[in-house]
């Protein structure tokens, strides 16, 4: 192709404002197809109308499996499906969630990098955690252009900041300039094609719903002493990944911050279960002490009352830990 004709955009919390700015600024004759993934609830509605209103004269479509895409058109990811690009068609994948979401920005970016290489322009907008960082790195590895919204003006700076850390972005641009920058870059010739790494191809296949197992995963990842929060399977660390990422044998994928967030919720739940069990144990031995008192066995009464006190001390300690987890201390210097 004579120009960069594939633009992929990803965002999450706070991304609607810069996205509407971009679409409003894109020229109607932009020589590229535009693909957008926002983190949507499984039954999300209303986003299509919002994007269509912002896009002005650019036609906007909800992505449909097998749809052929065209330049000058905008395609929006469907809820609960990964938006993937093949040669000139869209594929909706039901592969495992990545960073707890489907559609995932990383999945779209990798598929664009795999099939369109240096013709791709990837854009990461405002959002929490780090979805999009690994995908932007894949675009960079395949010769595409990478752009990140300036984190200093993003409503949620985590996603653009993680993207900048994972890949050497070609541009870090304020939202007000992104539309004009994309119009200019889309008219430039693409760079030279680069070899496609096997891990990119395999992860696109996973997002599409292809089968994965430990033998296949071993080609791109090494087992880690961690379990998948979604299915309880063994997690493996993807080799030489930027940012550090994990996948399980089913295919669920996590960056370190997304995994930590999921584990935090599990730790909180485990503490609350432990608190309930210990409080029930204290109640039970207190009743056993009462039985001993009624039957005139003072040694039994003393033993069970002592245990009840111990259990309640344990329960108080866990309760304090739970409360501290809800209100973590602020680091010094903040």
């Amino acid at each position: 192709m004579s120009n960069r004709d594939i633009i992929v955009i990803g965002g999450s919390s706070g991304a609607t404002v810069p996205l509407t700015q971009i679409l409003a600024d894109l020229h109607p004759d932009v020589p590229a197809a535009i693909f957008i993934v926002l983190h949507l609830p499984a039954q999300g509605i209303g986003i299509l109308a919002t994007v269509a209103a912002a896009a002005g004269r650019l036609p906007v479509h909800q992505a449909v499996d097998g749809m052929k895409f065209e330049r000058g058109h905008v395609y929006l990811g469907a809820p609960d499906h990964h938006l993937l690009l093949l040669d000139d068609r869209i594929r909706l994948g039901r592969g495992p969630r990545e960073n707890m979401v489907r559609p995932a920005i990383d999945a779209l970016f990798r598929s664009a990098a795999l099939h369109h290489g240096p013709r791709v322009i990837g854009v990461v907008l405002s959002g929490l955690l780090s979805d999009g960082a690994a995908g932007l790195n894949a675009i960079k590895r395949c010769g595409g252009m990478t752009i990140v919204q300036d984190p200093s003006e993003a409503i949620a700076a985590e996603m653009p900041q993680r993207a900048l850390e994972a890949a050497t972005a070609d541009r870090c641009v304020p939202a007000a300039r992104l539309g004009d920058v994309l119009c200019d870059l889309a008219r430039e010739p693409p760079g030279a094609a680069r070899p496609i790494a096997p891990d990119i191809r395999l992860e696109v296949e996973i997002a599409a719903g292809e089968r994965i197992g430990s033998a296949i995963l071993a080609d791109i990842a090494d087992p880690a002493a961690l379990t998948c929060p979604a299915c309880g399977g063994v997690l493996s660390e993807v080799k030489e990944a930027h940012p550090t990422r994990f996948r399980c044998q089913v295919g669920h994928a996590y960056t370190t911050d997304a995994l930590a967030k999921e584990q935090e919720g599990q730790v909180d739940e485990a503490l609350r279960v432990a608190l309930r069990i210990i409080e029930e144990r204290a109640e039970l031995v207190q009743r056993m002490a009462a039985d001993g008192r009624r039957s005139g066995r003072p040694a039994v009464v003393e033993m069970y009352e002592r245990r009840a006190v111990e259990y309640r001390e344990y329960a108080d300690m866990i309760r304090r830990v739970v409360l501290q987890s809800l209100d973590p201390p602020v680091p010094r210097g903040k």
Side-chain angles (χ1 to χ4, degrees), residues 276-296:
R276 175 184 60 78
I277 292 172
I278 291 176
E279 286 183 332
E280 287 180 356
R281 183 67 175 170
E283 176 65 22
L284 179 61
V285 297
Q286 193 69 57
R287 290 174 182 269
M288 295 168 74
D291 286 343
R293 189 174 293 107
R294 283 192 293 270
S295 59

Side-chain angles (χ1 to χ4, degrees), residues 161-189:
Q161 188 60 54
R162 297 293 183 271
L164 288 174
E165 293 168 359
T168 304
D170 296 295
R171 303 279 194 282
C172 182
V173 183
R177 293 186 52 235
L178 280 169
D180 291 336
V181 169
L182 288 173
C183 284
D184 292 341
L185 292 176
R187 289 179 168 82
E188 293 181 359

Side-chain angles (χ1 to χ4, degrees), residues 76-156:
L76 185 65
D80 207 30
H81 292 77
H82 291 307
L83 173 58
L84 307 174
L85 307 186
L86 300 182
D87 292 327
D88 62 348
R89 294 186 181 276
I90 289 171
R91 179 169 182 187
L92 298 182
R94 286 301 304 270
R97 297 177 185 275
E98 295 195 31
N99 288 326
M100 305 170 289
V101 295
R102 186 175 56 213
I105 300 165
D106 284 334
L108 168 63
F109 283 15
R110 283 193 209 100
S111 70
L114 172 64
H115 292 283
H116 301 285
R119 294 162 50 193
V120 178
I121 304 171
V123 184
V124 172
L125 302 177
S126 172
L128 299 173
L129 299 178
S130 52
D131 189 21
L136 205 71
N137 182 266
I139 290 173
K140 189 73 173 178
R141 290 164 62 193
C142 294
M145 290 286 295
T146 55
I147 302 176
V148 176
Q149 180 187 358
D150 186 346
S152 67
E153 62 149 39
I155 294 175

Side-chain angles (χ1 to χ4, degrees), residues 63-78:
V64 175
D65 192 50
M67 175 186 286
K68 187 172 182 177
F69 56 80
E70 306 174 50
R71 292 181 172 198
H73 289 242
V74 178
Y75 301 90
L76 185 65

Side-chain angles (χ1 to χ4, degrees), residues 20 46 48 147 194 204 265 267 306:
T20 54
L48 182 62
I147 302 176
R194 297 182 185 178
V204 171
V267 168
R306 187 170 58 249

